[in-house]
Amino acid sequence: NVFFDSKVLSYRNDIEELRSTVLVKDVFWSERETVDIEEPGAIRILVCGNTGVGKSTLINEVFGEEVTKASERARGVHDVKNSIICQHRPGLILHDSGGFESGGDKEFQQVKEFIIEMSNVTEMKDRLHVIWFCIEMNSPRVQQKAAIEFFTIVSQNSDIPIVVVQTKKDEFWDLQFGKARKKFVNLAEMEAYADEELRERMVLIEEELSDIKGGRCDSVVAVSKEDHKSIQELTEETARCFDHEKVRMLYIAAQVARIDLKVDLAVTKTMQIYERILKTAGGVSAVPLGNTTCRVTVAVVVCKAVVNAFGVPSVTAATVQQIVKNVIWDDMGRNFRVLTADCIATVGLLGTLSLWGAPVFLAASAVNIPIVIPAMAELVLILSCDAILILVRAFEDCTHQCLGQPLMKDVEKAALAYRQFAKQVHQEIKDLIAKFNIIKVFQVAKIKIGVEKILEKYTQLFVEQSEVGASQHGSNHGSEFSSVSSIEIEKAQKAR
C-alpha cells in the first residue's frame, strides 16, 4: 500500500479518464458535478487597433507570449478570420483586425461580418470571447476619429464584451510633462499638470465612446508597457466582463499578469474537491481498498485542477504530481492511516460474511470515518498547496527574468527551492485539520480562509526570494538563481 502510488502513477490519468467516462453522474464517488476534469479549451480574443498602437506589446505583457509585430506584416493584407495560434500556448487564440487607419469600407465590412458570424456561433470553444479595442492616447485627432468610427461598427454588431484599451499612456504623460516644464518651475506642479492632462484625455475618450448610439463598452483601461499595475488592471477588468464562468477560467489560466487570480481559481477548485472528497471518504470507509482507490483518484483530480487553473501548457498534472512526490511530498503518515482503514474495512467485510450477514461492516465504517476523513482532507490540502506554491514560485522567478510562462525546468527548479518550506507548510495544514474532530473538518469556509492565509504567507516569501535571486542573477553575470544551494538560501533568509 505504501508503494502503491509509485507503481501506478503512469496509469493514473488514463484510469481517471476512464472512470469519468464509465461512471454515471449520480454515483456518489463521481466528481463530475463539482470538478471539470476535461482539458480546457482556448480563450479567443480579437485585438483591434491601428498599426503601431502597441497590440503585440500588450499581448506579450498580458500573456507572456511573443507574436509577430504589426510592423512586420504588410498593411492591407490582414484577414481577421485567420487566427494567430501561439506555438507554446494552446490555450490562447488571437485575431487581429489589422490597422484601420486607412478607413476603407472593405476593412470595416470584413470585420463587421466576422463579428456577426462569431456572435452567432453556438459552440463555446469556437466563439469570440472578448474584444480588445486599442486606441493610442497620443494619436492625432484624425486617427482617433477613424478609431471611433471603427468602434461604432464593432460595438453595434456584437454582444461580445468589449474592453477599450488606451495604450502608451506613459508617452502621453511624458509629452505633457515636457509642456509643463515651459509653464512651471516646481517639479510637483509639472507632475500635477501631466497627471491632470492624462486624466482629462482618458475621460474624453471614454465620453466619446459612451456617446455612440447603440454602442457597447464594458470597460475602459489605460495601459503602458512600463506600468505593470495598469496591465494587472486590464487583466482584472477583462476577467470581470465574462458572463460564463468557464470562459473566465480560461482567461485567468492564459494570462500571466495576475498570478493571484490563478491562485484564487486553484483554491476555489481545491475546496470544491475538498467538499466532495469528505462525502466520498465517508461512503467508501467500509469498502476494502476503497480508501486507497479514493486516495489515488483524488491525487489525480487535485493536480489536474491546479495545473488547469495555472494554465501551464508545458507541464502536465502527472508531471506536477511526480515532482511533488519525488521532491517534497512525505505521505507516510496518511499512507499508514489509509492502510489501517483498509485493514479494518476488510475485517468488517469478512466478519459480515462469516456471521451470515451480521452488519459488522457498519461498525468498521464507524471506526474508519474518524480516521479516513481527516487523512483525505489533509491529502487534498497538502497536495494542492504544494502544487500551487511550486507553480507560484516558478511564475515569480520567470517574471523577474522576463520569461513569461514557466517551462518544465523552471517548475523543477521551483520545486527544489520550495523544498525548504515544505515541512512548515505541511505542519500548518495539519494544524488546520483537526484529526479526530469531524465537525471542524467539515467547516469548509474556515478551512478555506486558513489555506488562503498559508498561501499568502509563503507567496510573499517567494516574491522576496525571487527579487533577491534576480539581483544575484545580475551581479553574477548571468549565473542562475537555481544554482544557489538550499543551505545558502536558508542563511540568506535567516540574515533577513
Side-chain angles (χ1 to χ4, degrees):
N1 188 78
V2 172
F3 297 102
F4 185 75
D5 287 347
S6 60
K7 295 294 184 184
V8 301
L9 181 62
S10 60
Y11 303 107
R12 281 185 180 179
N13 284 331
D14 294 333
I15 293 172
E16 173 59 24
E17 294 295 341
L18 178 62
R19 183 186 73 90
S20 66
T21 304
V22 173
L23 294 184
V24 297
K25 185 177 180 180
D26 295 330
V27 175
F28 66 87
W29 59 76
S30 172
E31 303 288 344
R32 296 187 68 178
E33 290 184 23
T34 55
V35 180
D36 184 2
I37 62 169
E38 296 178 359
E39 292 296 330
I43 186 75
R44 189 183 296 267
I45 301 176
L46 169 61
V47 187
C48 302
N50 284 337
T51 302
V53 76
K55 292 178 288 184
S56 297
T57 300
L58 186 66
I59 293 168
N60 184 41
E61 291 294 322
V62 174
F63 299 106
E65 184 67 35
E66 293 283 356
V67 296
T68 305
K69 295 182 178 179
S71 58
E72 294 174 352
R73 303 184 215 140
R75 293 188 180 184
V77 297
H78 294 85
D79 186 352
V80 69
K81 295 184 179 181
N82 292 336
S83 58
I84 304 172
I85 300 176
C86 305
Q87 182 179 357
H88 304 293
R89 300 299 305 280
L92 176 64
I93 299 176
L94 302 169
H95 292 268
D96 184 2
S97 69
F100 48 71
E101 56 268 27
S102 60
D105 293 337
K106 183 179 179 180
E107 288 83 356
F108 286 179
Q109 186 64 28
Q110 185 186 46
V111 173
K112 178 180 177 180
E113 291 175 357
F114 173 71
I115 290 175
I116 293 175
E117 178 186 341
M118 297 302 288
S119 297
N120 294 325
V121 173
T122 56
E123 292 290 335
M124 182 61 67
K125 63 183 180 65
D126 297 325
R127 285 179 61 87
L128 187 61
H129 300 127
V130 67
I131 298 173
W132 279 351
F133 194 89
C134 302
I135 302 177
E136 185 178 343
M137 294 192 70
N138 201 34
S139 60
R141 191 66 181 172
V142 176
Q143 288 189 8
Q144 285 195 9
K145 185 177 180 181
I148 292 174
E149 184 180 353
F150 191 79
F151 176 79
T152 304
I153 293 174
V154 171
S155 62
Q156 290 181 349
N157 294 277
S158 171
D159 59 352
I160 301 167
I162 300 175
V163 179
V164 175
V165 186
Q166 301 180 43
T167 63
K168 302 185 180 181
K169 74 171 187 177
D170 53 339
E171 294 183 10
F172 180 83
W173 191 93
D174 291 341
L175 181 63
Q176 301 307 314
F177 184 79
K179 293 179 180 179
R181 294 179 65 180
K182 300 178 182 179
K183 297 182 179 182
F184 306 100
V185 178
N186 186 279
L187 178 61
E189 292 178 328
M190 297 178 191
E191 292 178 344
Y193 176 84
D195 289 339
E196 182 62 27
E197 290 294 315
L198 176 64
R199 282 192 293 270
E200 289 183 3
R201 177 57 68 92
M202 291 170 60
V203 171
L204 178 63
I205 295 177
E206 186 171 357
E207 287 178 348
E208 289 179 341
L209 298 177
S210 300
D211 289 341
I212 296 174
K213 186 177 181 180
R216 170 175 180 168
C217 178
D218 294 81
S219 184
V220 180
V221 183
V223 301
S224 65
K225 180 181 178 180
E226 304 300 329
D227 185 2
H228 188 61
K229 288 185 178 179
S230 68
I231 301 297
Q232 291 181 332
E233 183 183 357
L234 171 61
T235 291
E236 186 174 0
E237 289 298 316
T238 303
R240 287 177 181 174
C241 291
F242 300 122
D243 296 329
H244 199 287
E245 182 64 16
K246 178 66 175 179
V247 177
R248 189 180 73 87
M249 290 166 53
L250 290 174
Y251 178 78
I252 291 174
Q255 60 84 34
V256 297
R258 290 287 301 272
I259 307 304
D260 58 321
L261 294 180
K262 294 178 181 287
V263 174
D264 290 343
L265 180 58
V267 171
T268 298
K269 284 300 186 184
T270 295
M271 297 315 298
Q272 289 176 350
I273 298 170
Y274 180 88
E275 287 188 82
R276 191 68 178 175
I277 200 62
L278 295 184
K279 302 172 185 178
T280 303
V284 301
S285 59
V287 180
L289 290 180
N291 302 293
T292 296
T293 304
C294 180
R295 180 178 173 279
V296 171
T297 298
V298 76
V300 176
V301 175
V302 168
C303 285
K304 181 170 281 190
V306 172
V307 170
N308 286 350
F310 275 80
V312 189
S314 60
V315 180
T316 65
T319 302
V320 169
Q321 188 176 344
Q322 185 65 67
I323 289 173
V324 171
K325 187 172 183 62
N326 289 347
V327 178
I328 54 174
W329 187 19
D330 179 11
D331 201 36
M332 290 298 294
R334 279 176 299 282
N335 265 326
F336 180 76
R337 277 184 275 169
V338 170
L339 175 61
T340 301
D342 280 339
C343 291
I344 294 173
T346 302
V347 171
L349 178 62
L350 293 175
T352 297
L353 295 174
S354 61
L355 296 176
W356 303 95
V360 181
F361 71 93
L362 294 179
S365 178
V367 173
N368 275 347
I369 284 176
I371 299 174
V372 172
I373 289 182
M376 292 297 181
E378 281 185 14
L379 169 68
V380 171
L381 298 184
I382 287 179
L383 183 56
S384 174
C385 286
D386 286 346
I388 290 172
L389 288 172
I390 288 173
L391 290 174
V392 166
R393 178 58 185 256
F395 269 94
E396 287 293 340
D397 289 348
C398 288
T399 298
H400 284 283
Q401 298 176 41
C402 301
L403 297 178
Q405 283 275 359
L407 301 175
M408 187 64 222
K409 61 179 182 180
D410 300 312
V411 176
E412 291 174 347
K413 292 176 183 177
L416 290 172
Y418 170 67
R419 187 172 189 172
Q420 59 179 313
F421 300 111
K423 288 186 178 180
Q424 297 169 242
V425 173
H426 293 183
Q427 187 57 52
E428 292 187 29
I429 292 292
K430 291 175 182 177
D431 294 340
L432 194 62
I433 300 295
K435 285 185 173 56
F436 299 104
N437 190 331
I438 302 300
I439 296 177
K440 288 186 177 180
V441 174
F442 277 90
Q443 293 175 341
V444 179
K446 290 184 178 180
I447 298 294
K448 182 179 180 181
I449 293 173
V451 170
E452 290 172 341
K453 288 181 179 179
I454 293 171
L455 292 174
E456 182 180 358
K457 172 183 175 181
Y458 288 96
T459 296
Q460 184 58 38
L461 285 174
F462 296 162
V463 171
E464 294 173 2
Q465 282 198 349
S466 294
E467 291 172 352
V468 172
S471 62
Q472 289 179 349
H473 178 84
S475 62
N476 292 333
H477 304 288
S479 61
E480 295 186 3
F481 175 60
S482 60
S483 63
V484 181
S485 68
S486 59
I487 297 176
E488 291 172 324
I489 294 174
E490 283 187 34
K491 289 181 178 178
Q493 185 189 7
K494 290 179 180 178
R496 287 200 306 272

